[in-house]
């Protein structure tokens, strides 16, 4: 992907709070982050994503599901459905799935379990996976230097995220656009 293409940032309040256009000024950026959104909420608004006709989608979703006591299986199944639907509805789009971010320590094991499943699944829908935990976590929870409330990011938190996201987007930019499978017409063999 060359700069100047349309990137949709899709997710919850963590995405909503990002100043994506300022951080990626050479691209056309659409911020579809909605505070409080869960994986089910994103599934319900995929039509809005499709209408933007993006070249790339950067997805971060799932933390609110854990805050609402959803199971790992529910979260993984919904994220997988989001990715499958996006691939079906926008076959040429580049997809970047980011790991569910760390939050309080009581969520760490469950979020990491979901992330292991999502990392494995991403390739099946030709999505790239970006692990944000090395940059944002300490001892299985969100680094307290990057957040005031154990969930939302401070300016330092967004800088740490961008430190991972920028190279992740560069790798995504290097990928050729996806395309619809070519249908091969089989002609009957001559007799």
């Amino acid at each position: 992907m060359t700069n100047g293409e349309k990137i949709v940032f899709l997710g919850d309040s963590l995405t909503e709070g990002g100043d994506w256009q300022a951080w990626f000024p050479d691209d056309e950026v659409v911020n579809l982050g909605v505070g409080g959104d869960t994986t089910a909420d994103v599934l319900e608004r995929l039509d809005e994503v499709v209408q933007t006709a993006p070249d790339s989608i950067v997805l971060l979703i799932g933390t609110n599901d854990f805050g609402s006591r959803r199971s790992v299986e529910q979260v993984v199944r919904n994220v997988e459905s989001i990715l499958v639907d996006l691939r079906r509805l926008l076959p040429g789009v580049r997809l970047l799935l980011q790991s569910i971010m760390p939050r309080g320590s009581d969520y760490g094991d469950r979020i990491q379990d979901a992330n292991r499943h999502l990392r494995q699944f991403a390739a099946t829908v030709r999505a790239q996976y970006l692990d944000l935990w090395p940059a944002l976590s300490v001892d299985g929870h969100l680094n307290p230097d990057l957040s005031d409330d154990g969930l939302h990011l401070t300016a330092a938190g967004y800088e740490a995220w961008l430190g991972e996201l920028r190279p992740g987007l560069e790798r995504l930019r290097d990928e050729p656009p996806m395309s619809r499978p070519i249908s091969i017409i089989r002609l009957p063999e001559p007799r």
Side-chain angles (χ1 to χ4, degrees):
M1 181 172 91
T2 58
N3 287 351
E5 294 188 11
K6 188 181 289 185
I7 304 174
V8 165
F9 288 88
L10 178 60
D12 53 31
S13 61
L14 293 165
T15 299
E16 183 181 38
D19 193 2
W20 307 111
Q21 189 63 66
W23 295 330
F24 298 98
D26 296 331
D27 295 301
E28 182 182 348
V29 172
V30 179
N31 186 342
L32 294 181
V34 175
D37 257 14
T38 64
T39 55
D41 296 321
V42 169
L43 271 168
E44 289 178 9
R45 59 188 183 95
L46 289 182
D47 287 345
E48 179 183 7
V49 178
V50 171
Q51 289 173 3
T52 66
D55 298 297
S56 297
I57 298 171
V58 178
L59 175 63
L60 175 74
I61 195 68
T63 195
N64 291 325
D65 292 76
F66 286 106
S68 300
R69 301 178 186 239
R70 300 290 190 294
S71 70
V72 169
E73 293 78 18
Q74 288 172 307
V75 176
V76 168
R77 185 173 52 247
N78 280 354
V79 174
E80 289 174 351
S81 293
I82 291 166
L83 293 171
V84 166
D85 287 355
L86 287 172
R87 179 56 66 216
R88 179 179 50 81
L89 296 167
L90 296 166
V93 77
R94 293 178 183 92
L95 293 171
L96 179 63
L97 173 63
Q98 299 170 98
S99 63
I100 301 167
M101 282 195 190
R103 57 185 292 172
S105 58
D106 48 336
Y107 297 96
D109 290 341
R110 294 173 55 221
I111 292 175
Q112 284 286 61
D113 189 24
N115 283 337
R116 276 188 289 279
H117 290 285
L118 294 173
R119 177 191 298 268
Q120 293 173 347
F121 180 79
T124 66
V125 289
R126 298 183 324 246
Q128 289 194 23
Y129 182 84
L130 180 61
D131 187 1
L132 299 173
W133 277 63
L136 300 174
S137 71
V138 172
D139 299 325
H141 57 84
L142 182 58
N143 183 335
D145 294 338
L146 304 178
S147 174
D148 292 330
D149 63 1
L151 175 61
H152 297 96
L153 299 176
T154 59
Y158 278 102
E159 280 305 313
W161 182 4
L162 285 167
E164 298 299 311
L165 181 58
R166 283 188 175 113
L169 274 174
E170 284 306 312
R171 286 189 300 277
L172 192 69
R173 292 175 197 276
D174 290 341
E175 290 292 314
M178 303 298 165
S179 61
R180 295 182 188 271
I182 299 171
S183 298
I184 298 175
I185 300 172
R186 300 229 181 248
L187 299 173
E189 293 193 23
R191 296 183 183 200

